[in-house]
Amino acid sequence: MTTAGEVMAGVVMVGGSGPSDRHNDTYFPPIRRYLVDAGVAVLSYDKRGVGGSSGEWRDATLDDLAADAVAALDFLRAQPGVRPEAVGLFGHSEGGWVVLRAATTARVGPPWVITNSCPGVTPAAQERHALSRALRERRSARQDVDIDGSLALFDLLVEAGRRGAGFTEAKRLVESAGKAAWLGDYWPEVDERLWEFLKRKQDHDPVPDTLRLRCPHLAIFGGADPLVPVAESIHRFDTAACRPDRHHRATLTTELFPGADHRIHPAHGTRPAPGYLTGLTRWITGHADGRPLL
């Protein structure tokens, strides 16, 4: 946990997919420093089985990961000098799915939630989108790339997961597809344990969680994000926000940074896009008077 001086608000930061630690690679530290300097207490943590955390994230469900986020939320609320009613949740990428679920399952919900490059679609749909884009880029350099065959193989793997197929069958599908079928970053590190994790989460739909929100939601996207179907995600979040049965406090603010990537960095940049840190901080401190809902 990091604090500096008088605390106006607090935020739990949840990392993205894979073995993300408290720093989410190198992504969280500059955001964390900026928020702390602005009077926001920040807590980020190692995912299960990563860094100083016990357990194994590949054995978890998204509900398990959400329970970890709720535990972190309760811990930060209990710290001296932190106003518990002003502590919210921030989730990057997969972490966005996690904090949306955490916000709806916490005994005392947060006063606000932020999703950062979080797909508004299922993991399977998001991975297919990312693969399709990567295939088109790869095809420009290598004409032997079979785009249709690769996407067909991906669809077969998704259907196999829905049938509960084991890792042996999944490997057989990949091996029988031949070298022209390329799965990009989706497949190379998949082992039996990761296959089971992917099967469990592939059809998770974040929209039902957004419908159960009882607090403001800030959804941030990079306009050039190669991993997320940004337009479709915004459309799905917007449609959910317009539902008449949504809680009256569950407002939606969407922030799009044109030309920014999955980490909201400008093209070929390694720092946050102009206006990102100031806007994020302004939104958090502007909601510091919000109240958690039972």
Side-chain angles (χ1 to χ4, degrees):
M1 187 184 79
T2 309
T3 61
E6 183 181 357
V7 175
M8 292 188 294
V11 59
V12 172
M13 299 184 72
V14 180
S17 62
S20 57
D21 64 5
R22 69 195 67 185
H23 305 305
N24 201 61
D25 187 22
T26 60
Y27 183 46
F28 280 177
I31 302 174
R32 200 162 51 211
R33 285 193 297 270
Y34 196 95
L35 291 173
V36 168
D37 288 345
V40 180
V42 180
L43 172 62
S44 55
Y45 56 91
D46 299 332
K47 189 181 284 188
R48 296 181 179 206
V50 180
S53 289
S54 60
E56 172 55 63
W57 62 269
R58 290 170 295 186
D59 293 338
T61 64
L62 281 175
D63 281 331
D64 294 330
L65 299 179
D68 294 343
V70 171
L73 180 70
D74 290 340
F75 179 85
L76 183 54
R77 284 168 166 166
Q79 298 312 298
V82 174
R83 296 168 48 218
E85 73 279 4
V87 178
L89 293 165
F90 172 104
H92 172 66
S93 194
E94 177 193 270
W97 293 326
V98 172
V99 298
L100 288 172
R101 176 58 55 88
T104 64
T105 56
R107 185 181 63 82
V108 179
W112 45 265
V113 64
I114 298 171
T115 59
N116 191 82
S117 300
C118 171
V121 299
T122 66
Q126 178 267 314
E127 289 283 4
R128 195 182 197 280
H129 168 86
L131 174 61
S132 177
R133 179 162 177 163
L135 284 165
R136 292 195 301 271
E137 292 178 354
R138 187 176 174 88
R139 183 67 176 271
S140 65
R142 293 186 53 176
Q143 294 300 310
D144 62 335
V145 174
D146 182 0
I147 294 179
D148 292 338
S150 299
L151 292 176
L153 172 59
F154 179 86
D155 293 340
L156 285 174
L157 288 169
V158 170
E159 287 304 319
R162 289 181 182 141
R163 288 189 283 102
F167 182 57
T168 300
E169 180 179 344
K171 281 200 305 181
R172 188 162 56 246
L173 286 171
V174 173
E175 291 165 359
S176 65
K179 293 183 178 179
W182 182 76
L183 294 177
D185 293 332
Y186 176 78
W187 184 257
E189 296 182 2
V190 176
D191 56 15
E192 186 166 4
R193 185 175 256 176
L194 184 54
W195 170 250
E196 293 300 321
F197 176 79
L198 294 172
K199 279 164 54 177
R200 285 193 298 274
K201 82 166 188 175
Q202 68 176 17
D203 288 321
H204 171 78
D205 186 351
V207 168
D209 285 333
T210 68
L211 292 173
R212 289 191 289 268
L213 285 177
R214 296 170 293 170
C215 64
H217 173 198
L218 171 62
I220 303 173
F221 295 97
D225 189 335
L227 304 180
V228 175
V230 173
E232 184 179 0
S233 296
I234 292 174
H235 173 72
R236 296 193 88 221
F237 284 154
D238 282 349
T239 300
C242 293
R243 286 273 295 268
D245 54 344
R246 188 165 156 118
H247 194 279
H248 69 277
R249 291 194 67 235
T251 58
L252 172 67
T253 303
T254 302
E255 188 76 24
L256 177 69
F257 289 85
D261 63 14
H262 192 58
R263 292 191 166 189
I264 321 298
H265 293 166
H268 311 298
T270 58
R271 299 288 298 174
Y276 172 77
L277 291 175
T278 55
L280 177 66
T281 305
R282 187 183 309 113
W283 197 88
I284 290 174
T285 56
H287 289 77
D289 291 332
R291 65 184 189 282
L293 294 181
L294 298 175

